[in-house]
Amino acid sequence: MPLPDTMFCVQQINIPPELPDILKQFTKAAIRTQPHDVLQWSAAYFSALSKGDILPVKERLEMPVATQKTDTGLTPGLLKTLHKQLAPKETVTKEELCQKWKGLCLPKEQLDNILALGNFATSIDWMQFFALGCSALGGTIVSAMKQACEILTEDPEGGAARIPYDTFVSLYTYLAHLDGEIPQNAIEAFLAGLQEDVERQGGMVQPTNFFGPRRVEDIK
């Protein structure tokens, strides 16, 4: 292939003035998110940036658990990022979810397991998937609900981690029914037991209302 007749010098290359800031923000985002596949994540990052979509970026760096010997895939920070990306739609397609999941370099096997557990088809109720994501993080229902409060809360980090009671009820009842071993009267009794705290807290629930010795046996 012959060389082009026109040769370009450094002075002729037009560098957009916003490029340095774009690269700076990209670098900071990569450090916070720590993607396992930088190339794959970078493609998702710049694709979202070009479309004006929410970026696949964690709010802050998550330190690994000292006892964790293997990569567990989903983390609270990554689930929160997925929530920011997909919650506005309420119902998402399997294709959309797979795309966002892949953009965060999460293992496909874990996604397949959650989808199978929820018996989801092509259309997915995001909050139901979110609940199962919290369950994957916490293991038990009580731990899953604590994760949900900490991810969904609008309180500052380290605060009470309050969420609306209606949201709590929706997530908890979904997980309890899916569990299949918690009778309906036990579900109703547990939720009724929260009423006094909810009324005192202006219709909000926080982990201290249920995450403790007096509550664990009711909802585990």
Side-chain angles (χ1 to χ4, degrees):
M1 179 177 179
L3 293 173
D5 295 333
T6 304
M7 300 296 290
F8 292 93
C9 62
V10 174
Q11 289 77 11
Q12 291 175 293
I13 300 175
N14 181 29
I15 300 177
E18 62 271 19
L19 181 60
D21 185 61
I22 291 175
L23 295 178
K24 179 181 178 181
Q25 295 304 320
F26 166 75
T27 302
K28 292 168 67 175
I31 292 172
R32 288 202 307 274
T33 307
Q34 296 285 299
H36 296 295
D37 187 331
V38 176
L39 184 60
Q40 180 174 292
W41 176 82
S42 299
Y45 178 94
F46 285 110
S47 175
L49 185 66
S50 68
K51 297 174 183 177
D53 294 340
I54 296 175
L55 300 174
V57 178
K58 292 183 191 176
E59 291 183 355
R60 60 188 60 83
L61 177 65
E62 291 180 289
M63 300 304 294
V65 179
T67 57
Q68 183 175 303
K69 297 181 179 180
T70 59
D71 173 37
T72 57
L74 193 63
T75 67
L78 292 173
L79 183 56
K80 187 169 186 176
T81 299
L82 282 170
H83 182 71
K84 288 165 60 178
Q85 291 177 312
L86 296 171
K89 295 186 176 182
E90 297 185 4
T91 300
V92 300
T93 66
K94 185 177 180 180
E95 182 181 359
E96 288 174 312
L97 176 57
C98 289
Q99 182 183 27
K100 299 301 184 185
W101 188 273
K102 181 179 179 181
L104 289 170
C105 307
L106 289 165
K108 186 177 183 301
E109 296 78 8
Q110 189 175 33
L111 174 60
D112 291 340
N113 289 339
I114 296 175
L115 291 173
L117 183 60
N119 196 29
F120 295 112
T122 56
S123 182
I124 299 168
D125 182 302
W126 168 250
M127 290 305 290
Q128 290 182 358
F129 183 91
F130 174 82
L132 290 176
C134 290
S135 183
L137 294 173
T140 64
I141 294 181
V142 65
S143 297
M145 294 311 301
K146 182 176 183 290
Q147 292 284 357
C149 287
E150 292 175 349
I151 292 172
L152 296 177
T153 187
E154 295 184 2
D155 291 335
E157 185 178 6
R162 298 166 298 175
I163 64 172
Y165 179 66
D166 289 346
T167 301
F168 181 93
V169 170
S170 177
L171 295 174
Y172 169 71
T173 53
Y174 174 72
L175 289 177
H177 288 149
L178 198 64
D179 178 88
E181 296 184 1
I182 305 177
Q184 183 62 32
N185 62 344
I187 295 173
E188 293 173 356
F190 165 69
L191 294 176
L194 293 178
Q195 285 297 328
E196 184 178 340
D197 292 330
V198 170
E199 292 172 3
R200 187 172 59 251
Q201 293 162 183
M204 306 291 278
V205 181
Q206 61 193 51
T208 54
N209 299 144
F210 62 87
F211 194 73
R214 72 186 182 92
R215 296 298 190 190
V216 171
E217 298 225 349
D218 294 331
I219 65 173
K220 66 183 179 179

